[in-house]
Amino acid sequence: SMTKKMAKPSDDKEKKSLEKKLKDVELCVPFVYGNIAFWLGKKATEFVSHKWTVYVRGATNEDLGVVIKRVVFQLHSSFNNPTRVVDSPPFELSESGWGEFEIAITLHFHSDVSDKPLHLFHHLKLYPEDEPGPSTKRPVVVESYDEIVISEPSESLFSRVQNHHAVIVPRLPPGFNLPPPAPAAGEDAVDGKKRGDTKDHPHAQWFTSFSEADELLKLAAARQQVQAQIARLRRQLSLIDGQRQLKP
């Protein structure tokens, strides 16, 4: 399934166990991971044919630093220092080369989100599937959509992310008061713009738009309701039919 259930943060530290958890509440953080690759055309050599970037981004390009603390990209062993650690957003890594290989991507979260990292795999793609051959005009973009689900967040985490664009937050019951949010590390604005916000990303024009994913989820939910309604009506009809047959 698309959703990865994440373990609740463990209560080994006393401070954490004192924090009030919000029962039956789930936070959802849609995100996208993948790569963009540019063919170098005439400048390509035997060993450097492409420039590429592998990344983890918000589904609509928001700053994921509110929940993700660091991302580790494990490259092919032929690269210098193949374990690359990105400690602040935007969580991306640019390299050049000639070959495709699997990249292990590990998301590490802030301690109030989860102490268990999330492991992902992305197959770096440099060459287009269908077109006659590589083009210098259009990069190759391969992306996957996924969601981080945080069950029973603490009140402080909830208040920290409740107005953040990257996080889908359920409505709390009316009259429920949350503590004021504590400032999060890495949330400092630079030139009035959040660090790690990829809305102005130089490659944003090529990114897949995943706002359709929301529409698909809504459609799926609506379809389920319709199916349930049809099943209910069928049951009622068969009852009426059955009663009609009983009458002499």
Side-chain angles (χ1 to χ4, degrees), residues 101-168:
F101 55 92
E102 190 169 68
I103 300 176
I105 305 172
T106 307
L107 312 185
H108 295 270
F109 301 97
H110 294 299
S111 58
D112 60 354
V113 174
S114 176
D115 44 19
K116 288 195 169 51
L118 180 56
H119 301 284
L120 307 164
F121 292 95
H122 173 70
H123 191 86
L124 175 70
K125 202 150 172 46
L126 305 181
Y127 299 94
E129 288 274 309
D130 37 11
E131 289 148 44
S135 146
T136 50
K137 298 250 180 4
R138 283 193 72 80
V140 169
V141 179
V142 180
E143 303 191 313
S144 304
Y145 173 92
D146 210 330
E147 290 167 357
I148 298 157
V149 175
I150 305 160
S151 298
E152 300 195 355
S154 66
E155 288 187 359
S156 59
L157 171 61
F158 191 99
S159 69
R160 180 157 77 74
V161 303
Q162 67 175 339
N163 295 317
H164 198 286
H165 298 306
V167 186
I168 299 171

Side-chain angles (χ1 to χ4, degrees), residues 7-183:
K8 295 165 197 162
S10 71
D11 284 347
D12 51 355
K13 301 183 186 70
E14 231 164 277
K15 180 177 157 284
K16 278 190 185 169
S17 55
L18 292 175
E19 285 198 349
K20 281 170 90 177
K21 295 274 193 288
L22 295 170
K23 289 266 177 279
D24 304 323
V25 171
E26 277 190 342
L27 302 174
C28 176
V29 187
F31 71 98
V32 174
Y33 60 100
N35 79 263
I36 183 166
F38 293 88
W39 182 53
L40 296 176
K42 289 194 179 74
K43 296 185 196 136
T45 67
E46 190 186 346
F47 296 110
V48 179
S49 60
H50 288 76
K51 279 188 171 144
W52 51 263
T53 301
V54 59
Y55 50 81
V56 177
R57 64 179 181 86
T60 49
N61 298 332
E62 317 82 353
D63 174 7
L64 292 174
V66 68
V67 289
I68 298 176
K69 185 179 177 185
R70 78 169 56 93
V71 175
V72 180
F73 297 97
Q74 184 66 42
L75 304 183
H76 190 266
S77 56
S78 59
F79 282 83
N80 283 338
N81 312 322
T83 305
R84 305 288 176 87
V85 179
V86 181
D87 268 319
S88 63
F91 298 110
E92 61 180 42
L93 172 75
S94 296
E95 262 296 351
S96 52
W98 58 271
E100 299 183 344
F101 55 92
E102 190 169 68
I103 300 176
I105 305 172
T106 307
L107 312 185
H108 295 270
F109 301 97
H110 294 299
S111 58
D112 60 354
V113 174
S114 176
D115 44 19
K116 288 195 169 51
L118 180 56
H119 301 284
L120 307 164
F121 292 95
H122 173 70
H123 191 86
L124 175 70
K125 202 150 172 46
L126 305 181
Y127 299 94
E129 288 274 309
D130 37 11
E131 289 148 44
S135 146
T136 50
K137 298 250 180 4
R138 283 193 72 80
V140 169
V141 179
V142 180
E143 303 191 313
S144 304
Y145 173 92
D146 210 330
E147 290 167 357
I148 298 157
V149 175
I150 305 160
S151 298
E152 300 195 355
S154 66
E155 288 187 359
S156 59
L157 171 61
F158 191 99
S159 69
R160 180 157 77 74
V161 303
Q162 67 175 339
N163 295 317
H164 198 286
H165 298 306
V167 186
I168 299 171
V169 173
R171 284 202 181 81
L172 286 181
F176 189 93
N177 288 320
L178 281 170

